[in-house]
Amino acid sequence: MPQHIHGLEFGGMSQSPEMDDQGRLPLSTLVNEWRLTVKASALYGEAEEEFARDAEEFARGLDSLSLARKTPAEKRAEIFKLVDTYYHYAANKVHALRKSQGQVSRSDLRRSYDASSQDSMDLDDAENWPQSPVSARRLKTLELEAQTWDMLRRLLPLRYPNNKSIKPTRHDVSRFHSCSELWDDFLQSDSTAQERKAILECLQTSADESRTDIDELVRDYQQRAERGDIIAYGWLHTRHYIKMQKNVNGWSGALDPNASDVRQILQSGSTPLVTQLDPDVATRQDRKLQPQDEYFERAIWLGCYELLRRGRSIAEIRDWCVERTEVWRAVSMSAMPLSKEESEGRFPYDPLSLLLWRRTCFALARQGGTDDFERAVYGLLSGDVPSVEKICEDWDDFVYAHYNALLRTQFDAYLIKRLPLDATATITQAFPTFNAVQFHGDASSVGERLVRSLETNTKTSTEAKTPMKTLQAAIISNSLDQYTYDLGLALGKSANKYDISTLIPNFVDPSDEDFDDAKFPNLNDHNSLRIMVHVYLILSSLDELQGDLHVELSDRVKAQQNVVSAYVSTLRLMGLTDLMPLYCHQMQGDRSLFTLSRNVTGVLDDNEREILLRLMEKLNMDVGEFVKFQPRSLLQQYPDTEDSSPPFGRFTVLSNDQPTLKYGRHLKPDFLGEPPERLDPTDEHLIQSLEWFLLVDGLWDEVFYFGTAIYKRFLKQFNLYAARALSERVRCAEIFKRKAGIVYSDDSDVSWFDEVRASATAGSLEDHGIGEEEVAKAQNYFEMECLIRAIDSMETIASSESIAQDPVEKPGREFWTNVGREVKALKGYMRPILNNWLMESIEEDEDFTYLRDAYLPEMIIGYVSVLHFTGMTLTRDNLLECMELSAVIARKDADVAAVIMKAGRMKELVEGFANCSKALAISGSDKKTAAVNNSKRMMREHGWTRELWAVKK
């Protein structure tokens, strides 16, 4: 039979609730229906609500890739667009949180300031708002996520270009070519330089967005400068002191620092005061400023460093310096500031001047300056590392310092290579500079060695080992494939710490003590898992377009897919089950079906299950294979344990009490034992796996094949509560109804199966797709269902017998009516059991022989006891039926006599029949009127007469 599930629209950012052109519902309608169900059953906290929103947004974007049917180039563009979407989503969350806390980003604040003429818009307002530690941590977390997506959106287009051709460089350099033109040529010809520039711009942007405002940053030094609100006019205190000494001593003109009287008067401690006020006087004279002006100087250089570090444009740098009447500092930084805004990054200088300027800055960084921040400024401009590292505070600062040096060194080498040797020889030989490329060694592993060194740096080691910085380190060093493998190992190690996990297997060798999983997110870090699984899936999609996807499902790929499996489990725990198919679909091989099947066990509502099946169909997943995979994989993962114990005597319904004339041999009340609070998880999952079959058309052979296997498993293990649950939740009649449209109002009357068999033999069910073969496939399942339902009815009757024998109890009419109803049901269930039960099957099965030996003797003897008890309490007709049963068993073609003989219990059975015959002989009229049978009709049908058993005195 064909399988069919109507598909629903899955994907799109803002779908209309109306049907699409193919008559399918959009995702929004489907998810809203799901959300109402989930929220009605669970109260979400704020964190869970936020995670749910994030997960839905990210899934919506990812699904748009699944729906796309485009060329590789178009798909690549869609992937890059998705990364950009993720970045803007994260960035908007950062801005929203800042706004809710009374903060705004530094770039937004500058735009607001520029657009407004109100002096009341002060930077202080954004900094003085109180912020709790929890809010600060949350803001930092969001900023790291935005920074991560920013890195990826800048780097991935460079690493996965449409074509790998690099624009050829010019072979001649005219003296009219500016550095800006050469800079463009340099970037177009060198992919490594493009990546390093992108990394710098990302670090600049995040610093500009998240770091303390520069004016606030320098405020402490400004206050120590003791100049009030005056931020301009240079060294006020030094100028005032020199001017005062000139007036007192009658000096005029420029003071000679070597003059004895000047040296004596301007001596202050071990270092004398400067005698002039030009910018480099402190370095040239090796003298100092007044202490207040030293603080002012430090404030200025700190501001200049932050302007460069944040990638501000030369225009902004100039404005900041002009405001402080220090425009010369802007001029000194203007040659090549490497601003993040490309349009502002033009430097129209000739190449030789730039080479000389860089070396001059290097000399100032190493040998000049009076403050670490001043040397760091020139260190950034020259591409030096040691002078900048002195003031680096965090991981970002160190990475920025090194990549800035690498990029400037590369461009320096490019200029030297492009210019005539005689033009550059004098500069390069006379003025040294820092060669970052040579310092780092092998160019192919620079990034990897750099980020690894930060893990041992005392300033950055703690931060470098945090999950998000570990991820960013992998992005920068272009080692995301290795990172996702290590992350998969870490997740597997964590998931298997206390128990074996099949969903997230462990691939770490126990003897490998060097593996450090502390720097990866744990399974409870849901937001980090969300980020990392999407990074992995995006990289996998790009690799697939490049033809680099691993086709073979190696242990390495399996470990990487732990990332997806862990996130799917997170979605399940957070009640976002409707998103799981999308992520399972991204996995390779059976891992996709395995992960999904193990995570849908909490979905118990048929409507929710149908939604999942429709989502799977929309993703082109084989829903039939998914449904079949569940029981198959469970039976393979949890095989039935081999039990060599003989079957006889393991199942008992009879007590050891002596039989009585009135009740015969007693049944044990509640012989099934105490019902469990819940089924064993494996048993529950096996039953659930069959329930899924009811939701998919077709799969007739499979549902009965697996259903029969599960019934056999339960019955062989004498796991009768699980078998009873299966008989209640996946009834054979319901399977016929769902899959063949054959409906019977009361399936407790088992004659419906005989009617179906007869109709199938006659060919009248061909329109339903049912023939003799289909009925044969269902027969063993039906027969085992009859057994467990017979056992259930027999236990109910056994409990009723115990109540009837209790002298304290006074059973009423309703009690006996219920007993009669159970007896009628039991008689129906026993008919298939007494007639070649499990002897007719598609294939020979030794398990059926075991089940016949285990259950038939006890069930038949117990049935005789039931008929005896109800014959003496309800109607003598039950005693007559017991006599008929003896005749049925004694027939030559009867199959049950051999089983009873094999079990060595024929004597017990004969004694039971004898006790019934005695009871029938001495019994009078009916003790109770049972409204379950028409006695006269029944006697006519069977040729019975009560007078044969009436003993007259």
Short mmCIF file of all heavy atoms in Angstrom, two decimals, residues 586-610:
data_model
loop_
_atom_site.label_atom_id
_atom_site.label_comp_id
_atom_site.label_asym_id
_atom_site.label_seq_id
_atom_site.Cartn_x
_atom_site.Cartn_y
_atom_site.Cartn_z
N GLN A 586 19.68 16.95 8.85
CA GLN A 586 21.02 17.36 8.45
C GLN A 586 22.06 16.27 8.71
O GLN A 586 23.19 16.36 8.23
CB GLN A 586 21.45 18.62 9.23
CG GLN A 586 20.42 19.73 9.28
CD GLN A 586 20.13 20.35 7.94
OE1 GLN A 586 21.02 20.44 7.10
NE2 GLN A 586 18.89 20.79 7.73
N MET A 587 21.69 15.25 9.47
CA MET A 587 22.64 14.20 9.83
C MET A 587 22.70 13.13 8.74
O MET A 587 21.76 12.96 7.97
CB MET A 587 22.26 13.60 11.18
CG MET A 587 22.11 14.64 12.28
SD MET A 587 21.51 13.97 13.85
CE MET A 587 23.00 13.22 14.47
N GLN A 588 23.79 12.42 8.74
CA GLN A 588 24.03 11.44 7.68
C GLN A 588 23.65 10.04 8.15
O GLN A 588 23.78 9.70 9.32
CB GLN A 588 25.51 11.44 7.27
CG GLN A 588 25.98 12.76 6.67
CD GLN A 588 27.43 12.69 6.25
OE1 GLN A 588 27.89 11.69 5.71
NE2 GLN A 588 28.17 13.76 6.49
N GLY A 589 23.20 9.23 7.20
CA GLY A 589 22.94 7.82 7.47
C GLY A 589 21.80 7.61 8.45
O GLY A 589 20.91 8.44 8.63
N ASP A 590 21.85 6.45 9.12
CA ASP A 590 20.81 6.09 10.08
C ASP A 590 20.85 6.97 11.33
O ASP A 590 19.91 6.94 12.12
CB ASP A 590 20.97 4.62 10.50
CG ASP A 590 20.49 3.66 9.41
OD1 ASP A 590 19.83 4.14 8.47
OD2 ASP A 590 20.79 2.46 9.50
N ARG A 591 21.94 7.71 11.51
CA ARG A 591 22.04 8.59 12.69
C ARG A 591 20.88 9.58 12.70
O ARG A 591 20.39 9.97 13.76
CB ARG A 591 23.37 9.33 12.66
CG ARG A 591 23.66 10.19 13.90
CD ARG A 591 24.18 9.35 15.04
NE ARG A 591 24.48 10.14 16.22
CZ ARG A 591 25.64 10.72 16.48
NH1 ARG A 591 26.65 10.58 15.62
NH2 ARG A 591 25.84 11.38 17.60
N SER A 592 20.44 9.98 11.53
CA SER A 592 19.32 10.92 11.42
C SER A 592 18.05 10.31 12.02
O SER A 592 17.40 10.90 12.89
CB SER A 592 19.09 11.29 9.96
OG SER A 592 17.89 12.01 9.80
N LEU A 593 17.70 9.10 11.57
CA LEU A 593 16.50 8.44 12.05
C LEU A 593 16.65 8.02 13.51
O LEU A 593 15.69 8.11 14.29
CB LEU A 593 16.19 7.21 11.19
CG LEU A 593 15.90 7.49 9.71
CD1 LEU A 593 15.72 6.18 8.96
CD2 LEU A 593 14.68 8.37 9.56
N PHE A 594 17.85 7.58 13.87
CA PHE A 594 18.07 7.14 15.24
C PHE A 594 17.88 8.30 16.22
O PHE A 594 17.19 8.17 17.24
CB PHE A 594 19.49 6.56 15.38
CG PHE A 594 19.80 6.04 16.75
CD1 PHE A 594 19.44 4.76 17.12
CD2 PHE A 594 20.45 6.84 17.67
CE1 PHE A 594 19.72 4.28 18.39
CE2 PHE A 594 20.74 6.37 18.95
CZ PHE A 594 20.37 5.09 19.30
N THR A 595 18.48 9.44 15.90
CA THR A 595 18.38 10.59 16.80
C THR A 595 16.95 11.07 16.92
O THR A 595 16.47 11.37 18.02
CB THR A 595 19.28 11.74 16.28
OG1 THR A 595 20.63 11.27 16.18
CG2 THR A 595 19.24 12.92 17.21
N LEU A 596 16.26 11.12 15.80
CA LEU A 596 14.87 11.59 15.84
C LEU A 596 13.99 10.60 16.59
O LEU A 596 13.16 11.00 17.42
CB LEU A 596 14.37 11.80 14.42
CG LEU A 596 12.95 12.38 14.29
CD1 LEU A 596 12.84 13.70 15.04
CD2 LEU A 596 12.58 12.57 12.83
N SER A 597 14.15 9.33 16.31
CA SER A 597 13.27 8.33 16.94
C SER A 597 13.45 8.29 18.45
O SER A 597 12.48 8.10 19.18
CB SER A 597 13.54 6.94 16.34
OG SER A 597 14.84 6.49 16.66
N ARG A 598 14.68 8.49 18.93
CA ARG A 598 14.90 8.44 20.38
C ARG A 598 14.43 9.72 21.07
O ARG A 598 14.23 9.73 22.28
CB ARG A 598 16.38 8.21 20.67
CG ARG A 598 16.92 6.86 20.23
CD ARG A 598 16.14 5.69 20.87
NE ARG A 598 16.74 4.42 20.53
CZ ARG A 598 16.39 3.69 19.47
NH1 ARG A 598 15.43 4.13 18.66
NH2 ARG A 598 16.98 2.54 19.20
N ASN A 599 14.26 10.77 20.32
CA ASN A 599 13.86 12.04 20.93
C ASN A 599 12.38 12.33 20.80
O ASN A 599 11.92 13.35 21.33
CB ASN A 599 14.66 13.19 20.32
CG ASN A 599 16.05 13.32 20.92
OD1 ASN A 599 16.22 13.77 22.05
ND2 ASN A 599 17.05 12.88 20.17
N VAL A 600 11.63 11.48 20.11
CA VAL A 600 10.19 11.71 20.00
C VAL A 600 9.41 10.86 21.00
O VAL A 600 8.18 10.84 20.96
CB VAL A 600 9.67 11.40 18.57
CG1 VAL A 600 10.31 12.34 17.57
CG2 VAL A 600 9.91 9.95 18.19
N THR A 601 10.11 10.19 21.90
CA THR A 601 9.42 9.30 22.83
C THR A 601 8.52 10.06 23.80
O THR A 601 7.62 9.48 24.38
CB THR A 601 10.44 8.48 23.64
OG1 THR A 601 11.38 9.38 24.27
CG2 THR A 601 11.20 7.52 22.73
N GLY A 602 8.77 11.35 23.96
CA GLY A 602 7.92 12.14 24.84
C GLY A 602 6.70 12.71 24.14
O GLY A 602 5.84 13.33 24.77
N VAL A 603 6.60 12.51 22.83
CA VAL A 603 5.45 12.99 22.06
C VAL A 603 4.39 11.90 22.07
O VAL A 603 4.51 10.89 21.37
CB VAL A 603 5.86 13.35 20.61
CG1 VAL A 603 4.67 13.89 19.85
CG2 VAL A 603 7.00 14.35 20.62
N LEU A 604 3.34 12.10 22.86
CA LEU A 604 2.34 11.05 23.05
C LEU A 604 1.02 11.35 22.37
O LEU A 604 0.21 10.46 22.18
CB LEU A 604 2.11 10.84 24.56
CG LEU A 604 3.35 10.52 25.39
CD1 LEU A 604 2.99 10.37 26.86
CD2 LEU A 604 4.04 9.27 24.88
N ASP A 605 0.80 12.60 22.03
CA ASP A 605 -0.46 12.98 21.40
C ASP A 605 -0.40 12.71 19.89
O ASP A 605 0.58 13.07 19.22
CB ASP A 605 -0.72 14.47 21.65
CG ASP A 605 -2.05 14.91 21.05
OD1 ASP A 605 -3.09 14.59 21.63
OD2 ASP A 605 -2.01 15.55 19.98
N ASP A 606 -1.45 12.09 19.36
CA ASP A 606 -1.45 11.72 17.95
C ASP A 606 -1.40 12.95 17.05
O ASP A 606 -0.79 12.92 15.97
CB ASP A 606 -2.69 10.89 17.62
CG ASP A 606 -2.48 9.41 17.95
OD1 ASP A 606 -1.34 9.04 18.30
OD2 ASP A 606 -3.45 8.64 17.85
N ASN A 607 -2.04 14.03 17.45
CA ASN A 607 -2.01 15.25 16.63
C ASN A 607 -0.59 15.78 16.52
O ASN A 607 -0.15 16.22 15.44
CB ASN A 607 -2.93 16.31 17.22
CG ASN A 607 -4.39 15.94 17.08
OD1 ASN A 607 -4.77 15.24 16.15
ND2 ASN A 607 -5.20 16.39 18.02
N GLU A 608 0.14 15.77 17.62
CA GLU A 608 1.52 16.25 17.60
C GLU A 608 2.40 15.32 16.77
O GLU A 608 3.30 15.77 16.06
CB GLU A 608 2.05 16.37 19.03
CG GLU A 608 1.32 17.41 19.87
CD GLU A 608 1.81 17.45 21.30
OE1 GLU A 608 2.83 16.79 21.59
OE2 GLU A 608 1.19 18.13 22.12
N ARG A 609 2.13 14.05 16.86
CA ARG A 609 2.90 13.10 16.05
C ARG A 609 2.64 13.32 14.56
O ARG A 609 3.56 13.25 13.74
CB ARG A 609 2.53 11.67 16.44
CG ARG A 609 3.09 11.24 17.81
CD ARG A 609 2.57 9.88 18.20
NE ARG A 609 3.23 9.39 19.42
CZ ARG A 609 2.88 8.28 20.07
NH1 ARG A 609 1.86 7.55 19.61
NH2 ARG A 609 3.53 7.91 21.16
N GLU A 610 1.39 13.58 14.20
CA GLU A 610 1.07 13.82 12.80
C GLU A 610 1.77 15.09 12.30
O GLU A 610 2.23 15.14 11.16
CB GLU A 610 -0.44 13.94 12.63
CG GLU A 610 -1.16 12.60 12.76
CD GLU A 610 -2.67 12.75 12.64
OE1 GLU A 610 -3.15 13.90 12.68
OE2 GLU A 610 -3.34 11.72 12.50
#
